[in-house]
């Protein structure tokens, strides 16, 4: 898939499918292969609060907003 990166350059990326478990529900999502770093889109986190402690062994918490 031809993609424009945030810096404006164009590149070709592979598209794969992945199954994730989100709120105990399996969802199939498209995944763009862009390198060796693993990233997840933030669209899945709509309606959630994210808290990250950026330190060695720091915790990551994702909580639904009621």
């Amino acid at each position: 898939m031809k993609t424009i990166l945030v810096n404006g350059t164009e590149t070709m990326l592979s598209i794969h499918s992945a199954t994730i478990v989100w709120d105990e529900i399996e969802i199939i999502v498209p995944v763009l292969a862009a390198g060796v770093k693993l990233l997840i889109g933030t669209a899945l986190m709509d309606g959630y609060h994210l808290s990250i402690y950026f330190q060695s062994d720091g915790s990551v918490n994702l909580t639904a907003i009621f």
Side-chain angles (χ1 to χ4, degrees):
M1 168 183 209
K2 186 174 169 182
T3 305
I4 299 174
L5 302 177
V6 72
N7 67 3
T9 59
E10 292 183 2
T11 189
M12 293 296 291
L13 299 177
S14 299
I15 300 177
H16 304 270
S17 290
T19 302
I20 62 170
V21 178
W22 192 259
D23 275 346
E24 300 179 17
I25 299 170
E26 286 190 7
I27 303 170
I28 297 172
V29 296
V31 176
L32 294 175
V36 295
K37 273 191 168 181
L38 302 174
L39 302 173
I40 186 169
T42 57
L44 284 171
M45 293 186 268
D46 185 35
Y48 290 80
H49 176 262
L50 175 64
S51 173
I52 303 172
Y53 289 90
F54 288 93
Q55 63 188 38
S56 180
D57 295 324
S59 64
V60 177
N61 297 295
L62 191 62
T63 309
I65 299 169
F66 300 99

